[in-house]
Amino acid sequence: MPAYPVKVQPPTEDKRWGLVMATMKRHGYQSNAMIETLHTVQESFGFLDDDSLRFVSKALNVPLSKVYGVATFYHFFTLKPQGKHTCVICMGTACYVKGAGELMETIAKKYNVHPGETTDDGNLSLVTARCIGACGLAPAGVFDGEVNGKLTVADTLTKLTKWE
Amino acid sequence: MAANGQIKIFTLKIDGKDVSARSDQTVLQVCRENEFFIPTLCHLEGLSNIGACRLCMVEVAGQRKLLPACTTMVSEAMEVTTTNDKLAHYRKMTLELIFSERNHTCSVCVSNNHCELQFLSQKLGINHIRVPYRFPKFAVDASHPYFILDHNRCILCTRCVRVCDEIEGAHVWDVSGRGIQAKVITELNQPWGSADTCTQCGKCVNVCPVGALSEKGRSVAENTKRSGFLPYLTARRKEKI
Ligand code: SF4
Ligand code: SF4
Ligand code: FES
Ligand code: FES
């Protein structure tokens, strides 16, 4: 049995691992630094792939399945690279009541992508959110960072067509 | 438990009957000790309690909400009701929702006649499910040399997760996703057979209350389980530390 913490090398030479290592070091390689560390990976690389999950698991001595569970529990984390464009549709209660479900379905069907995933060509990520704090404007969505309210199916499709 | 770690003796009332209990006991433990029936699925003696299945809900005088007996500690002069119409209604509804979430067709299940879900439904008088089944389509994982995982029968009680973590110490399992997408996974959501951390001890299979985890080579109704090993394993391990 190796005594922990053991020095675990990052999976690649990529300089961004330095940031990740710094986060772990700041927390003394404690297992409760897992979420912080995953945050840094997400922010530095844009997503968490298997190699990075394995690395975090090993370096902090947290079981793989636990790391995977956390990475899939929080909407903040993604396991695949984000698309070129991101469309967030709020599925909070107010937006849902005002027809967010229909918006989501239409987009999913037209672009053949499930909520939370990215189109095969890597152009569009479709993301769901729980209440983005614009309930007065329900149903609301965020298109590449820009909040739009009172969305109709037609508006939404017009916006997305511009990205094609 | 008392702040100084000393165990006190409390007197409480369960369904009108006076019983005594140690301050480190849960309402469920005291009820069971005194032979009051409370249905449970996620609880298993020897594992930590997480209050996930909501079947063990009881009424406590002075509390507006129902409380899960498995995670509620006893207190002095507590008055607990274990059976009434409201509780029966909720417990039935909870079971029906559990059934509808996956695909429980008992007649073709390895655990037919050995299943805790089936047993409780019979006991609580469930004869049909009032909500539509969701019938999600999950692949069966038969990659492990000895065991099979069928998500279609899983009730997400997380007993497998806890026994593997708390008793075996391997923590092969966890839950991925949330809400309706939640499912149990091994390591990085990979085939169980490729999970290097699995010691193949079979504890998870033996504590699974339903037909989701079974030994290979068992056919319909042959999936018998042995979970009696848990309380003494837990106790002996504690003594060693
Ligand atoms: S067989 Fe043992 S080690 Fe493997 S997953 Fe089950 S409980 Fe964990
Ligand atoms: S596989 Fe069995 S023990 Fe594990 S969560 Fe599902 S029902 Fe519970
Ligand atoms: S529910 Fe959509 S913004 Fe609040
Ligand atoms: S046994 Fe108490 S919530 Fe499941």
Side-chain angles (χ1 to χ4, degrees):
Chain A
M1 273 289 279
Y4 279 93
V6 284
K7 194 105 183 89
V8 181
Q9 289 307 317
T12 60
E13 300 275 290
D14 197 313
K15 290 266 183 301
R16 287 172 288 184
W17 288 115
L19 299 165
V20 179
M21 298 296 276
T23 302
M24 296 199 282
K25 192 160 176 208
R26 202 167 58 240
H27 290 86
Y29 296 93
Q30 298 282 317
S31 13
N32 57 19
M34 172 193 20
I35 294 191
E36 279 297 307
T37 309
L38 291 178
H39 258 265
T40 312
V41 179
Q42 174 78 41
E43 269 166 355
S44 322
F45 293 87
F47 67 108
L48 311 168
D49 62 3
D50 275 11
D51 284 344
S52 53
L53 295 177
R54 276 181 199 284
F55 171 59
V56 173
S57 154
K58 212 168 192 168
L60 298 179
N61 190 22
V62 180
L64 282 169
S65 57
K66 200 166 181 175
V67 177
Y68 193 89
V70 166
T72 53
F73 184 85
Y74 294 104
H75 284 295
F76 178 81
F77 300 122
T78 44
L79 299 188
K80 293 215 186 89
Q82 283 289 304
K84 213 165 122 216
H85 299 285
T86 309
C87 163
V88 184
I89 299 292
C90 176
M91 291 295 240
T93 314
C95 292
Y96 190 79
V97 171
K98 293 273 188 171
E102 197 197 337
L103 286 181
M104 193 55 120
E105 250 170 61
T106 316
I107 306 172
K109 218 169 180 174
K110 169 142 192 235
Y111 289 94
N112 192 19
V113 57
H114 291 288
E117 289 177 4
T118 300
T119 50
D120 288 339
D121 62 5
N123 193 48
L124 173 70
S125 294
L126 181 56
V127 180
T128 59
R130 323 238 147 165
C131 192
I132 55 169
C135 306
L137 297 175
V142 189
F143 299 83
D144 278 348
E146 180 196 326
V147 180
N148 280 260
K150 300 209 178 348
L151 289 171
T152 62
V153 170
D155 296 342
T156 314
L157 288 182
T158 321
K159 288 199 182 303
L160 295 183
T161 330
K162 287 204 198 118
W163 287 346
E164 277 172 25
Chain B
M1 215 186 289
N4 59 8
Q6 250 175 26
I7 293 174
K8 293 193 195 151
I9 301 295
F10 291 151
T11 310
L12 46 154
K13 262 194 177 33
I14 302 178
D15 292 342
K17 188 182 155 208
D18 284 323
V19 301
S20 56
R22 291 199 327 265
S23 53
D24 64 345
Q25 287 186 299
T26 62
V27 171
L28 179 67
Q29 283 172 320
V30 178
C31 287
R32 293 236 157 128
E33 234 172 62
N34 291 279
E35 295 182 8
F36 289 94
F37 171 74
I38 294 184
T40 57
L41 275 175
C42 65
H43 164 84
L44 191 64
E45 202 55 49
L47 295 182
S48 61
N49 286 305
I50 51 160
C53 74
R54 313 316 269 180
L55 267 180
C56 67
M57 303 307 270
V58 293
E59 269 181 13
V60 174
Q63 298 273 350
R64 268 195 13 239
K65 286 192 293 185
L66 301 179
L67 297 177
C70 67
T71 55
T72 306
M73 302 307 284
V74 292
S75 58
E76 177 57 28
M78 193 178 213
E79 285 179 39
V80 181
T81 307
T82 67
T83 344
N84 62 25
D85 288 350
K86 182 177 168 191
L87 290 168
H89 172 79
Y90 276 116
R91 286 174 185 162
K92 268 185 151 173
M93 199 163 69
T94 306
L95 272 183
E96 287 180 39
L97 290 171
I98 292 177
F99 269 106
S100 70
E101 212 177 323
R102 298 278 165 101
N103 171 6
H104 295 275
T105 317
C106 302
S107 55
V108 294
C109 178
V110 279
S111 281
N112 194 11
N113 297 331
H114 310 287
C115 171
E116 291 180 41
L117 180 62
Q118 192 183 43
F119 167 80
L120 285 180
S121 334
Q122 280 160 356
K123 178 120 184 164
L124 302 188
I126 292 194
N127 34 38
H128 67 285
I129 311 295
R130 289 165 292 180
V131 286
Y133 265 55
R134 293 188 69 250
F135 285 126
K137 291 236 173 336
F138 282 110
V140 171
D141 183 351
S143 59
H144 195 281
Y146 306 123
F147 314 122
I148 296 183
L149 160 66
D150 184 354
H151 291 286
N152 298 297
R153 311 251 194 262
C154 172
I155 60 168
L156 294 170
C157 67
T158 73
R159 284 188 190 180
C160 54
V161 178
R162 283 172 287 149
V163 80
C164 187
D165 172 50
E166 297 167 13
I167 309 295
E168 180 59 12
H171 202 120
V172 174
W173 299 95
D174 215 302
V175 177
S176 83
R178 55 155 79 186
I180 206 70
Q181 260 111 36
K183 65 169 193 166
V184 288
I185 47 143
T186 43
E187 290 195 345
L188 293 185
N189 190 18
Q190 64 200 59
W192 189 1
S194 71
D196 296 334
T197 48
C198 175
T199 63
Q200 320 194 327
C201 69
K203 290 188 181 67
C204 53
V205 176
N206 278 306
V207 300
C208 177
V210 290
L213 293 176
S214 59
E215 270 174 38
K216 278 196 171 167
R218 301 278 174 113
S219 93
V220 173
E222 289 182 353
N223 195 27
T224 47
K225 310 249 166 136
R226 300 167 297 121
S227 61
F229 63 88
L230 259 183
Y232 67 77
L233 213 55
T234 314
R236 283 180 193 171
R237 290 196 178 173
K238 268 200 202 116
E239 270 164 32
K240 284 221 173 92
I241 294 168

